[in-house]
Amino acid sequence: MVKILGIETSCDETAAAVVEDGRAVHSSVVSSQVDLHARFGGVVPEIASRAHVELVGDVVAEATMEAGVELHELDAVAACHGPGLAGALLVGVSAAKAISLATGIPYVGVNHLEAHLYAAWLVDADLTPPLAVLLVSGGHTTVVVMEDHGRYRVAGETVDDAAGEAFDKVARLLGLGYPGGPAIDRLAPDGDAAAIRFPRAMRGEPDLSFAGLKTAVANHVRAHPDAPVADVAASFQEAVVDQLVEKLLAAADEADAPTLVLGGGVAANSRLRERVTEAGEAAGRRVLLPPRALCTDNGAMIAAAAWWQLTAVGPTPLDDVTDPNLHLVSR
Ligand code: KG4
Ligand code: ZN
């Protein structure tokens, strides 16, 4: 029985959780900074770092209290050490290292992308690779074949914008505010997804692209200022989802992976979840959709990934540094 405290401060959520053996969530606290950034239309890195400094102590205290453990009773403390905003990452990593130094429990530095992937084990404790995984967040859009624990092969990734970034930019264009993904998700059901045929980029290729789609939406809105916003939102969302589903299914076919997994903030999207579920059924593949709260940034996924990493390769030295551009690499 190994209890790990996971801390996540890579972007605009200050989060902490206590998870046992990489699977059982004892507590999970997420403090969103959305209100602080909304009036700027996006995350302001300096504001995010300062807010993390103010919040991280309370969030950790709440997570340990809810789990009924004292810091020294934990078996390890983990933090996301990349990828993410440089200053924001430093806050969580410094907090985790301080806890490690003060209590003597080991520190584990966790890759944010690997954490999104390991959220799946919080849903199915017995999940076994190979898996075809779609990691879709504000900063990343990657189709990964997880061949085994710690063994990843990137089947395809975006050559320009991330899917979440496209949602956020298009939402801003449509005057829907920040964060854009949830706003478009909410509005799209009121619109006609077939109203406008936006382009689907890189058909038949493993990689993805969203920059052209974003421009197509901007051009359409300029040419048709009276087009119903819900139709534009729904048609845009359908174009993104089409691309994502095509690439995920192709990777699963190519790797003969029996299970499809979604991870990352955009995995909370209702239409994406619906379409992947349908596509999985049609292809005879199992679909594992973590609940929305485990798709968007949280501490539980950090603690989960940390358990697998601790078990396989041991603790991370305290002189480990943060890396804002960290990639998903096999151990
Ligand atoms: O994983 P995440 O919480 O943070 C990063 O690691 O980036 O992902 C945030 C991204 C944002 O771009 C946000 O707009 C998008 O996920 N997102 C959504 C939804 N919820 C969050 N996109 C589409 N539909 C949603 N329901
Ligand atoms: Zn994320």
Side-chain angles (χ1 to χ4, degrees), residues 207-297:
D207 285 333
L208 306 96
S209 163
F210 297 104
L213 172 59
K214 183 192 62 196
T215 307
V217 175
N219 290 341
H220 186 90
V221 171
R222 213 173 297 127
H224 307 90
D226 298 328
V229 175
D231 284 353
V232 180
S235 301
F236 158 76
Q237 177 177 268
E238 204 63 19
V240 173
V241 170
D242 267 351
Q243 260 205 69
L244 295 175
V245 174
E246 182 210 316
K247 312 296 169 165
L248 178 61
L249 266 291
D253 283 348
E254 180 259 330
D256 203 14
T259 308
L260 310 175
V261 175
L262 296 189
V266 181
N269 183 266
S270 312
R271 186 64 181 144
L272 176 62
R273 296 169 77 89
E274 193 174 271
R275 289 279 310 279
V276 170
T277 303
E278 288 168 7
E281 258 168 39
R285 301 191 194 280
R286 182 184 173 213
V287 176
L288 197 145
L289 299 176
R292 285 179 169 78
L294 289 175
C295 292
T296 49
D297 290 349

Side-chain angles (χ1 to χ4, degrees), residues 24-331:
V25 182
H26 288 246
S27 67
S28 182
V29 179
V30 180
S31 172
S32 172
Q33 306 176 4
V34 162
D35 297 347
L36 290 178
H37 301 286
R39 66 195 172 102
F40 300 104
V43 178
V44 183
E46 182 62 23
I47 292 177
S49 312
R50 291 179 190 205
H52 286 310
V53 170
E54 282 176 18
L55 293 166
V56 72
D58 286 348
V59 167
V60 165
E62 201 177 322
T64 49
M65 200 176 67
E66 252 181 49
V69 285
E70 302 281 343
L71 288 176
H72 67 269
E73 294 170 335
L74 293 162
D75 298 288
V77 55
C80 167
H81 64 174
L85 302 170
L89 288 170
L90 277 174
V91 179
V93 164
S94 302
K97 287 180 177 176
I99 292 170
S100 169
L101 275 170
T103 59
I105 63 173
Y107 164 70
V108 187
V110 171
N111 182 314
H112 187 84
L113 299 169
E114 206 167 353
H116 273 306
L117 200 159
Y118 271 100
W121 271 266
L122 298 171
V123 183
D124 178 1
D126 301 319
L127 186 64
T128 42
L131 312 172
V133 189
L134 176 64
L135 292 176
V136 266
S137 69
H140 295 84
T141 299
T142 311
V143 181
V144 182
V145 175
M146 181 180 188
E147 291 163 336
D148 203 343
H149 289 284
R151 274 189 43 216
Y152 313 108
R153 185 162 53 77
V154 173
E157 58 192 333
T158 181
V159 298
D160 40 57
D161 293 350
E165 195 179 348
F167 268 102
D168 293 334
K169 285 179 178 169
V170 166
R172 193 185 316 181
L173 205 92
L174 299 177
L176 299 175
Y178 176 86
I184 289 179
D185 194 351
R186 275 193 303 272
L187 183 63
D190 301 338
D192 175 7
I196 308 144
R197 182 73 192 171
F198 287 125
R200 275 72 169 156
M202 306 186 82
R203 272 249 156 103
E205 292 177 55
D207 285 333
L208 306 96
S209 163
F210 297 104
L213 172 59
K214 183 192 62 196
T215 307
V217 175
N219 290 341
H220 186 90
V221 171
R222 213 173 297 127
H224 307 90
D226 298 328
V229 175
D231 284 353
V232 180
S235 301
F236 158 76
Q237 177 177 268
E238 204 63 19
V240 173
V241 170
D242 267 351
Q243 260 205 69
L244 295 175
V245 174
E246 182 210 316
K247 312 296 169 165
L248 178 61
L249 266 291
D253 283 348
E254 180 259 330
D256 203 14
T259 308
L260 310 175
V261 175
L262 296 189
V266 181
N269 183 266
S270 312
R271 186 64 181 144
L272 176 62
R273 296 169 77 89
E274 193 174 271
R275 289 279 310 279
V276 170
T277 303
E278 288 168 7
E281 258 168 39
R285 301 191 194 280
R286 182 184 173 213
V287 176
L288 197 145
L289 299 176
R292 285 179 169 78
L294 289 175
C295 292
T296 49
D297 290 349
N298 64 88
M301 66 179 195
I302 303 294
W307 182 84
W308 291 90
Q309 190 174 322
L310 188 66
T311 307
V313 296
T316 307
L318 283 181
D319 61 0
D320 172 68
V321 291
T322 54
D323 183 353
N325 301 312
L326 195 62
H327 292 277
L328 184 68
V329 283
S330 298
R331 318 186 188 101

